[in-house]
Amino acid sequence: MPVELTASQALGLWHQVSLEQVKAGDVDLTMRQVAILLHIYLVPPPHTVRGLAATLGVTKPVITRALNTMGEMGIVDRVRDDRDRRNVIIKRTLTGALYLEKFGDLIIDQGRQLS
C-alpha cells in the first residue's frame, strides 16, 4: 500500500529520523555514505567502486574515500575480484546489515508518529 505524504510531512519525517539517529549516538554517515550503503544492501550484487561511482555520478576517488571511512566503521568490506584483480568488490557485513535494519525500524517508528 503506497504511503501518501505531503512534502512537509516527508521533510518532517526525515527531520525526526535524523534527530533520533544523532541522539542515539550511532554511526554518523554523510548523505553520500547513506546512498552508497543503501545501494549496496538494496540492489543485488556485485558492487564495484567503478559501478558505484557511475551510479552516484562521482569519481572513483570519491567512492574510495567514502568506503575507507565505512570500512573503518565495519559496515562494508572490500575484496579484490579474483577474476579481474583490477576490480574491487564491495561486500556487505553483518554490522552494516544490523545498522540498516535498526535504521529501517527507526523510520517505521517515526512514520507511525506522523500526524
Side-chain angles (χ1 to χ4, degrees):
M1 119 181 115
V3 176
E4 302 273 337
L5 297 176
T6 66
S8 182
Q9 288 173 318
L11 290 171
L13 175 59
W14 187 251
H15 179 228
Q16 284 306 120
V17 168
S18 299
L19 284 175
E20 291 303 317
Q21 188 70 9
V22 169
K23 287 181 191 177
D26 285 337
V27 173
D28 192 12
L29 300 177
T30 66
M31 289 290 275
R32 179 174 290 138
Q33 290 167 335
V34 170
I36 291 169
L37 190 63
L38 288 170
H39 189 79
I40 291 168
Y41 281 82
L42 298 177
V43 175
H47 301 288
T48 63
V49 171
R50 181 180 298 126
L52 289 169
T55 297
L56 273 71
V58 297
T59 64
K60 290 189 297 185
V62 167
I63 297 297
T64 299
R65 282 192 300 274
L67 291 173
N68 286 343
T69 302
M70 295 165 71
E72 290 170 8
M73 295 174 181
I75 57 178
V76 298
D77 197 13
R78 290 182 283 188
V79 296
R80 285 270 171 209
D81 184 349
D82 289 333
R83 291 174 287 159
D84 184 346
R85 302 290 296 164
R86 295 171 298 172
N87 285 333
V88 175
I89 303 294
I90 315 310
K91 299 279 187 177
R92 301 168 179 168
T93 67
L94 180 58
T95 301
L98 293 173
Y99 173 84
L100 280 180
E101 183 176 346
K102 189 174 171 185
F103 192 68
D105 289 343
L106 176 60
I107 294 168
I108 291 167
D109 291 344
Q110 293 302 312
R112 288 183 176 138
Q113 296 178 33
L114 284 177
S115 51

